[in-house]
Amino acid sequence: MENNNNNNNNNNNINNNYNEEEEELNEPKEKCGVFAIFAPELDVSRITFFGLVALQHRGQESCGIATYDEFQSVHVETGMGLVNQVFNETNLKPLKGKMAIGHTRYSTAGKSTIVNAQPVIVQTLHGQIGIVQNGNLTTAKTLRKELMQKGVGFFIDSDVEVITQLLSNNPEGCDPHKPNWENRIAHFMSKAEAAYALCLMTPNGIYGVRDSLGMRPLCLGSLDVPCKDDPTKTITRYVLASESCAIGTIGAKFIRDVRPGEIVHINENGISSFIGRSPSDNPALCVFEYVYFSRPDSSMEGQLIHIVRQRMGETLARESPPPQSCSNQDTIVIGVPDSSLPAAIGYAKQSGIPFTEGLTKNRYIHRTFIQPSDHLRQQGIKLKFNPLTENIQGKKVILIDDSIVRANTIKALIKLIRGAGAIEIHVRISSPPVLHPCYMGIDMATHDQLIGHNRTIEEIREYIGAESLQYLSLQGLMKSVTVGIKPQAEINSTPCFSNSSPTTPRVKINENNQKHCVACFTGDYPCSLDF
């Protein structure tokens, strides 16, 4: 195995000082994005690179790509920083193979160091395996302790090592001389309830795995490529990604979401589906995928994220209309770029108040090798946003944001907008107050840091300095999310063996139970926790 930790660009010196500023910490962070492809006819590392660029919003601390070649050798490259900073023509070229997995990471479990960068490669009796993960194992401490009691040692503090160790063990009742990958994965799934979406690279193909609650997203796509033997003919190859936007970026066709509890196997023969763990009667896709995390051009549960966010804005306008003193002559609706813009469009459409751009985002300011001077660092939010003064001056502003976590960013934005000449600022939030932390793979503070847990809405309004503040209700949010979910066709999946006994000959998965995880709003966690 070739393993290169990319430090050619002095990635350890990336500007993390500004990222640790209060205003930056206000935003919730998705843990990571995963990507996988099986296509011997293509340059799989290059395709994975572009897939990861499309998933960059899901993690900006580290990234990596691993490939499996025809000689059963694994090639891997990881580094700290953005995908475009870590990879170049020189280090992509050695990543040869018929299949690849890739990862972008934001640490919520494990420190932000190169040691915890993924993919993680493990040597087993049946060859090397590579793994990339999105999410947090909610019982990682318990599982780690159980493994250590059996004499298993650990080298890193990321829970992905717990997963690899569980996968390395042959399940009881299975032939130890055979790989039994489906059964190994099913054994892991029986031990780990949530929250994970995995891509696993083995000598006999790629596996995509989603926990039985469906908490973290994973989707499947196809790509028609010329055959090696006869370029006039095509063969269908398959890809997996955290979001459909990555599938579209590489020119592939979105097929469907991977279902809760499902194991998808991709190899030379195409694709097959297995049941690793029976889907929960109460699925729990994280609703923040709709509120903030996913790209607006991604689709989940059969609906475009942009459209869902626009519906949130429309519902918000019905629940919390503009103050009576505001008219379409002296008032504008603006959104905080980028995730809040669809909700702002929806609010403007429903309320009749015109939408315009009021803020421009400096998207590349934080991940630079050039350290800002003390003077620039003191500018705080001005490094990240610039107001469009001529649009704002002399206007009453309805400011739409998707959420308030610590409130430092929106407080600074209100000061910035008022400095640009706004005479009133009315804040509308397209989700309910965040009251509880997340333990399922999202960095969303602690109770002490969540302003919604510690203060009333009026106290928050006073703290941020707005004339008024209103949130979308939980009922309004869930109606906006669920009303557009399209029924998904049943799929036939083969159950995996457990203790040498199958469950039923074939199992049908029908994922039309419209339930989501809203624990950050309610404190009602859908799975066991050992935090």
Side-chain angles (χ1 to χ4, degrees):
M1 179 185 75
E2 297 178 7
N3 190 340
N4 299 312
N5 291 336
N6 186 348
N7 290 307
N8 295 334
N9 292 324
N10 194 23
N11 286 329
N12 289 329
N13 289 329
I14 290 175
N15 173 24
N16 286 321
N17 290 336
Y18 182 79
N19 286 340
E20 293 173 359
E21 293 289 320
E22 285 289 325
E23 57 269 25
E24 180 70 5
L25 285 172
N26 182 65
E27 300 176 359
K29 302 294 192 304
E30 173 58 86
K31 183 176 182 180
C32 44
V34 299
F35 186 89
I37 181 171
F38 186 98
E41 301 81 7
L42 301 176
D43 185 346
V44 291
S45 64
R46 187 175 297 271
I47 290 174
T48 302
F49 167 84
F50 286 105
L52 293 181
V53 169
L55 296 172
Q56 187 71 85
H57 59 286
R58 300 187 73 89
Q60 299 90 40
E61 290 189 357
S62 65
C63 57
I65 297 173
T67 61
Y68 227 126
D69 66 23
E70 57 186 316
F71 306 107
Q72 303 298 300
S73 295
V74 172
H75 311 274
V76 60
E77 181 85 21
T78 60
M80 300 297 293
L82 302 180
V83 178
N84 280 320
Q85 293 172 336
V86 170
F87 291 101
N88 51 53
E89 293 290 345
T90 301
N91 58 22
L92 275 176
K93 189 174 182 179
L95 300 179
K96 303 293 185 181
K98 58 184 178 180
M99 53 183 155
I101 55 175
H103 191 263
T104 63
R105 183 173 193 263
Y106 177 85
S107 60
T108 60
K111 297 176 181 178
S112 178
T113 65
I114 190 63
V115 175
N116 286 324
Q118 297 180 34
V120 171
I121 309 300
V122 175
Q123 180 71 49
T124 74
L125 183 64
H126 305 287
Q128 295 180 98
I129 62 172
I131 187 169
V132 289
Q133 174 208 13
N134 174 23
N136 272 359
L137 292 185
T138 56
T139 55
K141 290 183 180 179
T142 300
L143 293 172
R144 183 182 288 263
K145 184 177 180 180
E146 289 178 2
L147 288 167
M148 292 178 71
Q149 289 173 341
K150 294 179 180 179
V152 175
F154 292 91
F155 297 95
I156 59 178
D157 65 350
S158 174
D159 57 14
V160 71
E161 191 174 20
V162 175
I163 299 172
T164 57
Q165 292 294 350
L166 287 170
L167 292 172
S168 298
N169 291 323
N170 194 59
E172 184 181 349
C174 292
D175 187 345
H177 302 292
K178 295 181 179 180
N180 304 308
W181 293 117
E182 291 89 355
N183 293 313
R184 289 172 186 264
I185 296 170
H187 173 68
F188 153 73
M189 296 176 77
S190 72
K191 293 281 190 181
E193 183 181 13
Y196 54 85
L198 312 173
C199 290
L200 179 68
M201 185 172 66
T202 73
N204 67 331
I206 298 268
Y207 290 92
V209 185
R210 197 171 175 205
D211 69 60
S212 61
L213 290 164
M215 299 194 74
R216 309 257 57 86
L218 188 65
C219 60
L220 176 68
S222 63
L223 191 65
D224 291 333
V225 302
C227 294
K228 280 186 174 181
D229 299 332
D230 186 355
T232 63
K233 297 181 180 179
T234 61
I235 186 172
T236 301
R237 296 304 188 188
Y238 295 94
V239 298
L240 292 158
S242 293
E243 291 183 39
S244 62
C245 63
I247 292 175
T249 294
I250 65 164
K253 179 183 178 182
F254 172 78
I255 300 177
R256 63 175 177 86
D257 297 328
V258 175
R259 309 297 170 85
E262 184 183 8
I263 303 170
V264 174
H265 184 205
I266 303 169
N267 63 6
E268 185 67 44
N269 300 319
I271 185 170
S272 53
S273 173
F274 303 87
I275 297 295
R277 179 169 174 164
S278 297
S280 171
D281 292 333
N282 296 293
L285 172 64
C286 174
V287 79
F288 246 83
E289 293 290 346
Y290 287 108
V291 172
Y292 175 81
F293 295 128
S294 294
R295 256 177 49 168
D297 55 334
S298 288
S299 292
M300 285 184 187
E301 301 181 305
Q303 54 184 344
L304 189 68
I305 296 294
H306 184 283
I307 298 300
V308 178
R309 289 177 183 163
Q310 191 168 318
R311 281 201 300 266
M312 292 176 190
E314 293 171 1
T315 305
L316 178 61
R318 285 190 290 268
E319 291 185 353
S320 303
Q324 292 183 354
S325 61
C326 296
S327 71
N328 58 9
Q329 302 298 318
D330 63 1
T331 308
I332 57 173
V333 175
I334 69 172
V336 178
D338 289 307
S339 56
S340 303
L341 297 181
I345 293 170
Y347 191 97
K349 177 182 177 182
Q350 179 64 35
S351 67
I353 303 295
F355 166 81
T356 189
E357 291 191 35
L359 296 165
T360 297
K361 187 175 183 179
N362 298 319
R363 291 175 176 82
Y364 310 108
I365 198 73
H366 303 305
R367 286 288 171 174
T368 173
F369 299 112
I370 307 301
Q371 297 285 340
S373 65
D374 288 340
H375 168 73
L376 287 175
R377 190 176 289 111
Q378 289 169 5
Q379 301 306 304
I381 202 70
K382 293 180 181 178
L383 276 178
K384 189 173 181 181
F385 294 100
N386 286 334
L388 300 176
T389 303
E390 290 188 10
N391 288 355
I392 293 172
Q393 193 168 30
K395 296 288 187 178
K396 298 174 184 177
V397 172
I398 299 175
L399 176 63
I400 309 296
D401 203 355
D402 51 64
S403 58
I404 297 179
V405 180
R406 297 172 177 87
N408 297 304
T409 292
I410 197 161
K411 180 180 181 180
L413 282 174
I414 288 171
K415 183 178 180 181
L416 189 69
I417 295 168
R418 205 177 294 281
I423 57 177
E424 290 181 13
I425 301 173
H426 302 276
V427 176
R428 299 293 183 265
I429 306 299
S430 59
S431 65
V434 176
L435 305 178
H436 305 278
C438 176
Y439 303 103
M440 283 76 74
I442 297 169
D443 181 30
M444 199 180 283
T446 64
H447 278 113
D448 289 342
Q449 295 173 312
L450 295 172
I451 194 166
H453 180 78
N454 299 303
R455 302 193 190 195
T456 66
I457 293 178
E458 174 57 25
E459 288 172 337
I460 298 172
R461 182 205 64 77
E462 185 177 357
Y463 174 77
I464 63 177
E467 270 69 28
S468 69
L469 169 65
Q470 298 288 338
Y471 289 83
L472 180 63
S473 69
L474 181 58
Q475 181 182 7
L477 171 64
M478 298 317 299
K479 183 177 180 180
S480 300
V481 168
T482 59
V483 71
I485 294 177
K486 294 179 175 63
Q488 301 195 57
E490 293 183 341
I491 56 172
N492 288 321
S493 297
T494 303
C496 294
F497 284 70
S498 177
N499 294 328
S500 301
S501 298
T503 51
T504 57
R506 302 286 283 180
V507 176
K508 287 188 175 181
I509 305 179
N510 190 359
E511 188 198 19
N512 292 317
N513 191 343
Q514 299 175 358
K515 295 186 178 179
H516 299 80
C517 179
V518 292
C520 57
F521 306 129
T522 66
D524 184 14
Y525 296 96
C527 57
S528 302
L529 303 172
D530 64 5
F531 291 87

